[in-house]
């Protein structure tokens, strides 16, 4: 039986964004507690069907915290005009095997 795991889809620098701990209520979604918000170089293939791992080393350590992408916003940075993707992340309870 195949084991569920992760495949590297995209790697990028990231910057942490300010966020509130108020639950996010999107279209047809339950209240979701956001654990982190980050900004990456724009990649429109990154979506809310993906898992994110924030790490300063590659490959990430086996105990690295994994996050489910709750929302991916693709836009332009107001300050420098660079194409960006902002990710709202929720900590994953059941971790995938790396």
């Amino acid at each position: 039986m195949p084991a569920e795991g992760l495949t590297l889809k995209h790697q990028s620098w990231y910057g942490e964004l300010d966020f509130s701990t108020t639950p996010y209520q999107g279209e047809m979604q339950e209240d979701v507690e956001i654990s982190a918000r980050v900004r990456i170089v724009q990649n429109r293939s990154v979506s809310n069907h993906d898992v994110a791992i924030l790490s300063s080393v590659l490959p990430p350590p086996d105990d690295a915290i994994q996050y489910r992408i709750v929302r991916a916003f693709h836009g332009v940075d107001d300050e420098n005009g660079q194409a960006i993707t902002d990710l709202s992340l929720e900590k994953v309870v059941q971790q995938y095997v790396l």
Side-chain angles (χ1 to χ4, degrees):
M1 180 168 264
E4 223 176 282
L6 298 178
T7 301
L8 180 62
K9 181 176 188 175
H10 177 75
Q11 68 184 41
S12 173
W13 62 264
Y14 68 92
E16 294 185 22
L17 299 172
D18 290 335
F19 71 99
S20 70
T21 56
T22 305
Y24 168 74
Q25 196 160 18
E27 297 174 16
M28 298 176 59
Q29 289 187 346
E30 300 175 10
D31 288 344
V32 174
E33 190 73 29
I34 301 300
S35 303
R37 285 190 62 236
V38 296
R39 174 167 289 173
I40 63 172
V41 173
Q42 189 176 90
N43 182 336
R44 290 187 176 269
S45 70
V46 174
S47 72
N48 62 346
H49 300 287
D50 297 324
V51 172
I53 299 173
L54 307 181
S55 177
S56 59
V57 297
L58 285 176
D62 290 338
D63 62 347
I65 298 173
Q66 298 174 16
Y67 299 90
R68 182 176 68 84
I69 298 175
V70 175
R71 179 176 181 263
F73 169 78
H74 309 288
V76 176
D77 186 287
D78 293 336
E79 294 179 10
N80 61 22
Q82 182 178 9
I84 52 92
T85 297
D86 288 345
L87 304 175
S88 296
L89 307 173
E90 174 189 33
K91 191 183 284 187
V92 172
V93 176
Q94 180 63 42
Q95 301 231 349
Y96 292 93
V97 176
L98 297 179

